[in-house]
Amino acid sequence: MTTQDDRSMVADALRALLEDQDAAVLVVDDEETVRYATPRAADLVGGTAVGDGDTDITGRPVADLLSPAPSTDADEVLSLVHGRSTDPVALVTTAATGERTRLDGSVATCPGGVALTLRAPPDTTAGPGVGDRVDGGEDGAGAYVPDAGWQRVLETARAGIAILDEDGRYRYVTPAHADVYGYDSPDDLVGRNWRSLYDEAEVERLETEAMAALERDGAWSGTSTGRRRDGEPFPQALTLSQLPDAGLVCVVRDRTEQVESRATLEALHEATQDLLAADSRQAVAEVAVEGAVRALDLPLSAVYLHDEGRDALDPVAWSDAVAETFDSPPTFTGDEESLAWAAFQSGELRRFDDPSETDQLYNRETPAGGELILPLGDHGVIITGYLRGEEVGPEDVRLARTLAASVTTALEGVTAAEALRERHDQLERFSAMLSHDLRDPLNTAMATTSLARQTAAGETAEYLDTLDQIHTRMESLIADVLALSRDPAELERTPTDLEPLVREAWETARTATGATDATLTVEGSGTVDADTTHLRRLVENLLGNATRHGGERVSVHVGLDDDGFYVADDGPGIPPERREQVFERGHSDSGTGLGLDIVQQVARSHGWEVSVGESEAGGARFDIRTDGTGR
């Protein structure tokens, strides 16, 4: 039985809730006089709050504050004020500024009068019919009445609302509050202490944190973990407000769906990261299936990839549930009508909540109660089925689209990488051909020339000298092409002492270019982490460039340190407008046209920087800095 104290407590709770939630409510008695107004309602009709929850429009005739809009009959307003109609009515207030401002009003009856709930957009403008409807109060419960008859307002709120006495016992509980904790009726909680709904650690935390805030500020909001009637823990949002005469109002909302949604998004993010790390189409498909099962809770999932040669969709990865439910995933082609092929061809998501009623069903004996088919661009489709009795909502479909988009991006990436690997394999095969099919006859030609030189004289000897130069250039071309064909991923880095490597490279470069009178000066020392074969080729090409273009008596200066090295000469140099072009493949006045391109490629593969400028002697200077990401 509800006592007078209970009714008073409910009234205080309603007042606290409405004012805290900024609801716009007027309570009007049978004499059409305002008996109570929330601060928000007073503001809408031109009044102000004057303290202690009161406003300066209390006691005024409601007709002074509101009048019918042009589209509203005056009788409708009277019916609204006297509680004979509950339909929303368009009202106009002129009290605030003298301008006509549109409001919408609805009513709920109570003993001795009615409560008007006013709604207006954040910026109401002059004239009728302006603005969207804005519900008063977070849960649409926009009525305050200081009487027990208004308990029904609380009882229709979606949030769970309860009133506790100063000892923490439930004095009033809405059905929604009882339901949140798994109880059938509010009576199951009335008289119990709130502490019985939490474990000991959570009780201690709330008493320390929440109760202290209530004493200090009169209110507290935060998150907590409650326990349902069956003992299952659940996350909740909790708001506590102190009542004026002791006790408090408790508003609780179940956060289970929010927490599950966050967990889904985190799992989807992890799946996306795994997709980006996949290195083959098969790996992408397997990650996609795992993501659909683990992140989206769609156990009947399979990925079909398009085989261009056969023009077919082949199953390449599927979940355990698919293997247990179906004999074997089929292959789809355009020769046979199927939902999967239609979705692949159209590029549009297809959803079938009852595939058995669809003409294009591939298997009419399917145990699936519904199906989602998600296109993956030109790569294939994801087919996700769900058993009868399961539901897939709009949010599930949106997240499935997100997964499909990530899978498509990953497939595009690995497809491009596979094409690149194929081109590299072709280059390696070409390199092998150069090494075997060209080097053997070249070595034979060089040996034959050497034998011929033993008996040659006069013009014949000069012809052989020219032939030797041609053979040397061919050998250099083969070496350059082989150097370019090596995969940077195959680099074998070791600490390499620069000075002996430079001196060895100098002998090779000077001999190859015939610059027997050129001189080399090496200053400093340094060690770099590098693939020795690649590094030697880089240095040989820089030194060969200096001797080739600097003349027979060119002086070459090499400076070394642990951050890299430079190669400078006193030759003719390189004009500023040509300095970027010298690294382009084929850009050369002599030689193979690949030398400096190889220098740049080797530097990049190690993560180094290469630049060209002018030496102190006016010649060319090439700087190789190894202190970047390659170190």
Side-chain angles (χ1 to χ4, degrees), residues 320-503:
D320 292 340
V322 169
E324 294 170 359
T325 305
F326 302 92
D327 292 336
S328 62
T331 294
F332 301 109
T333 67
D335 297 334
E336 300 174 328
E337 292 187 355
S338 66
L339 302 176
W341 189 262
F344 173 66
Q345 290 291 92
S346 67
E348 298 178 355
L349 179 145
R350 299 293 182 94
R351 176 177 180 174
F352 307 94
D353 290 323
D354 189 356
S356 63
E357 297 180 359
T358 305
D359 294 338
Q360 292 177 289
L361 190 68
Y362 183 86
N363 176 16
R364 295 195 173 278
E365 301 301 323
T366 177
E371 202 167 79
L372 281 178
I373 304 176
L374 302 136
L376 303 174
D378 296 333
H379 305 285
V381 296
I382 298 177
I383 300 180
T384 297
Y386 39 99
L387 298 174
R388 300 187 189 279
E390 297 180 353
E391 293 184 1
V392 174
E395 181 67 7
D396 299 314
V397 175
R398 186 183 71 82
L399 293 174
R401 285 182 182 273
T402 301
L403 176 63
S406 298
V407 174
T408 302
T409 300
L411 286 170
E412 290 172 351
V414 298
T415 299
E418 288 174 354
L420 185 62
R421 284 195 294 269
E422 175 60 26
R423 288 194 294 271
H424 181 262
D425 291 342
Q426 292 176 351
L427 184 58
E428 281 193 336
R429 289 192 292 272
F430 175 67
S431 300
M433 182 272 292
L434 281 177
S435 179
H436 181 269
D437 294 349
L438 293 183
R439 277 193 182 277
D440 284 351
L442 177 60
N443 290 337
T444 301
M446 294 175 71
T448 302
T449 303
S450 178
L451 290 174
R453 187 182 297 280
Q454 296 177 7
T455 59
E459 289 186 358
T460 301
E462 293 178 4
Y463 292 149
L464 292 176
D465 290 342
T466 301
L467 193 58
D468 269 338
Q469 294 175 5
I470 293 173
H471 290 159
T472 300
R473 184 175 178 183
M474 290 178 63
E475 187 176 38
S476 179
L477 176 62
I478 293 172
D480 285 344
V481 171
L482 288 173
L484 281 174
S485 70
R486 290 192 63 186
D487 187 349
E490 298 176 357
L491 295 179
E492 296 180 2
R493 299 189 184 209
T494 57
T496 304
D497 191 351
L498 284 169
E499 182 180 2
L501 184 143
V502 168
R503 295 193 183 281

Side-chain angles (χ1 to χ4, degrees), residues 194 201-217 219-224 240:
W194 67 268
E202 193 67 358
V203 168
E204 182 178 353
R205 185 183 75 85
L206 290 174
E207 287 181 334
T208 302
E209 181 179 334
M211 298 310 171
L214 279 171
E215 293 181 5
R216 183 181 65 250
D217 306 323
W220 178 84
S221 293
T223 59
S224 180
L240 304 175

